[in-house]
């Protein structure tokens, strides 16, 4: 359950990707209808990923092998439907940048599935949530929708999404990385197909590392090793290890859940939770971690000015670093992110879901499986500089070949992290309030000298209060 994403990184990605509604080239009438429908609906949705801490997501998708022309991806292997089916497909902020990619993908699917027409509509990131809440269970529901894991899990918990288990075969289910796929499986029911994702990597200033007598070719593999490296760097160079935000997701990364299994109460006010917070407090007091709840722009400043030796971030960090400190960029390498006690790396994934109100759930699931199959995920990842969620995709040489640039190192390190990738999410409507409550108390403890036990007790009380509060 992980979603520590830097709001800034995410905003940059979504802002540059989405600007106008899509037009399908296959039919003038359909182009006009899709455009009008999209423009008329730019009103409601905010699929906010709710995430504290420095998190970035690459994007990547995974799925089953591409279906052969004319064949259905239904588990029974049934042929394409004889009746005409029009599927409404919603995505988030992918137009106009990826129009050519999706127009080609949709045309390929329609040619292989006679009678099926895909009506693609694209909405801004801040518009889809409310729109879907208003339509997911009714007759005006779309058929396939692009959602982040947090919102998908909330809709699943409300019974608003179709269970995909009877609609897809085992070859589809097992094609994805387990941690990413299982993020939206509840009570044995699968509610989403992972599409594109991203993970953080560890950026390392090799100049500072070498001055401290450490070998960048043998980087730290665990958080404990990272702390030891940071202590040595602090002692030998005066620079700190890294800067970060003290968000709620710090706890699950060390094996301490935020909520109990039923998601009805706080679960972090324990000895294990107190130990995690006390360790972070000590590291800050020692100067190993910067004493600052540093948002993404501040982290860039710390790394660019060589006040820290490491940065825990996603691929978008590279462009900022190259612009702000080209000399530091030249001395920076990227390696897989060290893991905490939970031995996981947070991913930030987008998925495809089938709302309960879909006019044809089987046809919708077939199309979702096609979009997220390994071949199509690989192609989209190459086109969009994201990561796929399918195991087969990572076998493509694209994800392992390096030209020795920082960009290719980050790509490879991210791809190597997917086997340990999991989402951070709470899956309940009060997720935003819960994350904020925990984060504020962590910041007070770590930065202002607050008492660990009292702070966790206060945070737990606020969490339980938020869970019990009626949803708006």
């Amino acid at each position: 359950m992980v979603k520590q994403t830097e709001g800034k990184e995410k905003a940059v990605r979504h802002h540059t990707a989405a600007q106008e509604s899509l037009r399908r080239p296959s039919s003038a009438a359909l182009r006009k209808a899709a455009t009008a429908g999209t423009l008329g609906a730019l009103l409601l949705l905010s699929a906010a990923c709710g995430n504290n801490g420095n998190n970035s997501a690459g994007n990547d998708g995974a799925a089953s092998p591409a279906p052969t022309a004319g064949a259905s991806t239904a588990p029974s292997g049934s042929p394409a439907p004889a009746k005409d089916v029009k599927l409404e497909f919603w995505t988030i902020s992918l137009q106009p940048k990826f129009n050519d990619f999706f127009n080609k993908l949709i045309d390929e699917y329609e040619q292989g599935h006679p009678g099926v027409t895909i009506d693609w509509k694209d909405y801004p990131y801040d518009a889809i949530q409310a729109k879907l809440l208003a339509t997911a269970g009714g007759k005006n529901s779309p058929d396939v929708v692009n959602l982040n894991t947090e919102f998908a899990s909330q809709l699943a918990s409300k019974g608003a999404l179709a269970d995909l288990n009877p609609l897809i075969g085992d070859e589809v289910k097992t094609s994805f990385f387990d941690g990413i796929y299982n993020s939206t499986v509840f009570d044995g029911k699968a509610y989403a197909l992972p599409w594109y994702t991203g993970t953080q990597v560890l950026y390392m200033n090799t100049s500072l590392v070498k001055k401290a007598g450490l070998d960048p070719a043998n980087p730290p593999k665990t958080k404990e090793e990272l702390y030891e490296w940071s202590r040595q760097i602090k002692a030998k160079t005066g620079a700190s290890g890294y800067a970060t935000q003290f968000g709620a997701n710090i706890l699950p990364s060390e094996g301490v859940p935020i909520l109990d299994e039923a998601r009805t109460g706080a679960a972090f006010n324990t000895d294990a939770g107190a130990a995690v917070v006390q360790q972070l407090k000590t590291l800050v007091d020692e100067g190993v971690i910067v004493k600052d709840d540093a948002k993404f722009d501040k982290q860039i400043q710390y790394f660019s000015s060589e006040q820290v030796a490491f940065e825990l971030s996603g691929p978008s960090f590279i462009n900022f670093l190259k612009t702000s400190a080209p000399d530091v960029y030249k001395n920076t390498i990227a390696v897989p992110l060290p893991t905490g006690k939970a031995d996981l790396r947070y991913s930030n994934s987008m998925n495809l879901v089938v709302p309960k109100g879909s006019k044809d759930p089987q046809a919708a699931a077939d199309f979702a499986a096609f979009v997220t199959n390994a071949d199509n995920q690989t192609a989209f990842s190459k086109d969009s500089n994201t990561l796929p969620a399918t195991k087969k995709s990572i076998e493509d040489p694209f994800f392992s070949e390096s030209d020795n640039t920082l960009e290719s190192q980050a790509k490879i390190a991210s791809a190597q992290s997917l086997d340990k990738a999991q989402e951070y999410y709470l899956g309940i409507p009060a997720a935003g309030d819960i994350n904020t409550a925990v984060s504020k108390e962590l910041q007070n403890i770590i930065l202002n000298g607050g008492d660990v036990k009292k702070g966790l007790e206060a945070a737990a009380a606020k969490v339980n209060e938020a869970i019990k509060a009626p949803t708006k």
Side-chain angles (χ1 to χ4, degrees):
M1 301 196 324
V2 176
K3 208 180 201 171
Q4 25 167 211
T5 82
E6 309 147 342
K8 186 146 192 172
E9 288 191 78
K10 192 159 207 162
V12 170
R13 286 196 308 277
H14 288 294
H15 176 72
T16 56
Q19 301 176 19
E20 67 182 25
S21 54
L22 164 91
R23 296 181 167 189
R24 293 262 343 271
S26 55
S27 157
L30 182 54
R31 287 199 300 269
K32 183 175 181 180
T35 302
T38 301
L39 293 175
L42 296 181
L43 302 174
L44 308 136
L45 152 61
S46 85
C49 324
N51 185 333
N52 303 305
N54 174 28
N55 229 4
S56 70
N59 317 0
D60 109 314
S64 63
T68 55
S72 170
T73 55
S76 62
S78 57
K83 63 180 180 179
D84 289 342
V85 176
K86 183 177 181 179
L87 299 177
E88 195 166 322
F89 174 41
W90 290 4
T91 58
I92 300 174
S93 298
L94 295 179
Q95 298 177 11
K97 186 173 182 180
F98 300 105
N99 282 13
D100 289 345
F101 180 91
F102 284 100
N103 287 335
K104 180 179 179 181
L105 189 75
I106 289 169
D107 285 343
E108 178 186 348
Y109 190 78
E110 290 178 342
Q111 290 172 18
H113 295 75
V116 178
T117 300
I118 308 299
D119 180 6
W120 179 34
K121 297 180 180 180
D122 190 71
Y123 296 100
Y125 190 71
D126 63 352
I128 252 177
Q129 184 174 345
K131 185 172 183 63
L132 189 58
L133 285 171
T135 63
K139 62 181 181 180
N140 295 320
S141 167
D143 299 283
V144 179
V145 183
N146 166 202
L147 295 178
N148 64 52
T149 302
E150 176 68 48
F151 190 45
S153 67
Q154 289 186 27
L155 287 178
S157 70
K158 291 177 174 293
L161 301 181
D163 174 13
L164 298 177
N165 275 335
L167 305 176
I168 59 175
D170 289 341
E171 73 282 0
V172 174
K173 301 172 188 176
T174 58
S175 66
F176 304 99
F177 285 100
D178 294 344
I180 298 175
Y181 177 75
N182 289 331
S183 293
T184 51
V185 174
F186 300 104
D187 297 327
K189 297 179 179 180
Y191 290 104
L193 298 183
W195 187 12
Y196 59 95
T197 192
T199 62
Q200 288 185 319
V201 301
L202 180 69
Y203 293 97
M204 180 187 306
N205 182 318
T206 57
S207 178
L208 289 174
V209 167
K210 289 176 181 177
K211 284 181 182 178
L214 297 164
D215 181 8
N218 293 289
K221 302 294 192 302
T222 67
K223 282 288 184 67
E224 291 299 331
E225 291 176 354
L226 178 61
Y227 298 151
E228 288 305 314
W229 275 49
S230 298
R231 288 189 180 96
Q232 189 164 328
I233 287 168
K234 181 68 175 177
K236 297 291 182 66
T237 72
S240 295
Y242 62 94
T244 190
Q245 282 191 275
F246 301 103
N249 49 25
I250 286 173
L251 291 162
S253 70
E254 296 296 334
V256 178
I258 301 296
L259 302 177
D260 57 30
E261 289 189 8
R263 292 183 288 182
T264 58
F268 56 85
N269 186 19
T270 61
D271 289 344
V276 170
V277 177
Q278 182 59 59
Q279 181 183 41
L280 289 171
K281 187 176 187 302
T282 300
L283 291 167
V284 170
D285 292 342
E286 293 175 350
V288 172
I289 298 176
V290 177
K291 191 171 186 177
D292 185 4
D293 183 52
K295 295 182 180 179
F296 184 54
D297 56 349
K298 287 294 293 293
Q299 293 174 29
I300 295 168
Q301 294 174 26
Y302 282 122
F303 193 88
S304 298
S305 59
E306 297 191 298
Q307 295 180 65
V308 299
F310 306 110
E311 166 67 10
L312 290 61
S313 191
S316 62
F317 171 74
I318 297 174
N319 291 330
F320 291 104
L321 176 63
K322 186 185 293 187
T323 300
S324 62
D327 290 339
V328 176
Y329 164 83
K330 293 176 184 177
N331 290 323
T332 300
I333 64 173
V335 299
L337 189 72
T339 59
K341 292 183 177 66
D343 195 27
L344 60 82
R345 296 184 178 100
Y346 286 143
S347 58
N348 179 29
S349 301
M350 285 292 184
N351 312 274
L352 292 185
V353 304
V354 176
K356 208 69 169 291
S358 169
K359 297 172 286 297
D360 193 325
Q362 182 63 67
D366 290 349
F367 177 65
F370 172 79
V371 175
T372 60
N373 72 38
D375 290 342
N376 289 330
Q377 287 214 31
T378 302
F380 184 62
S381 292
K382 291 179 179 180
D383 199 46
S384 62
N385 193 31
T386 63
L387 287 178
T390 51
K391 301 169 188 173
K392 182 181 176 183
S393 294
I394 301 303
E395 297 174 4
D396 191 286
F398 174 78
F399 298 103
S400 58
E401 293 176 344
S402 174
D403 58 7
N404 294 319
T405 62
L406 182 57
E407 287 81 354
S408 66
Q409 291 172 9
K411 174 190 69 178
I412 293 169
S414 295
Q416 291 174 346
S417 299
L418 290 172
D419 63 335
K420 295 181 183 293
Q422 291 185 32
E423 297 283 300
Y424 173 78
Y425 67 95
L426 299 179
I428 61 176
D433 292 338
I434 290 171
N435 281 319
T436 298
V438 176
S439 297
K440 284 184 176 179
E441 290 299 333
L442 289 178
Q443 292 159 20
N444 183 54
I445 294 168
I446 296 169
L447 303 177
N448 302 326
D451 182 79
V452 173
K453 184 176 181 180
K454 291 181 180 179
L456 288 180
E457 288 175 351
K462 291 178 182 177
V463 167
N464 291 333
E465 187 177 309
I467 292 173
K468 293 176 182 177
T471 56
K472 298 178 181 179

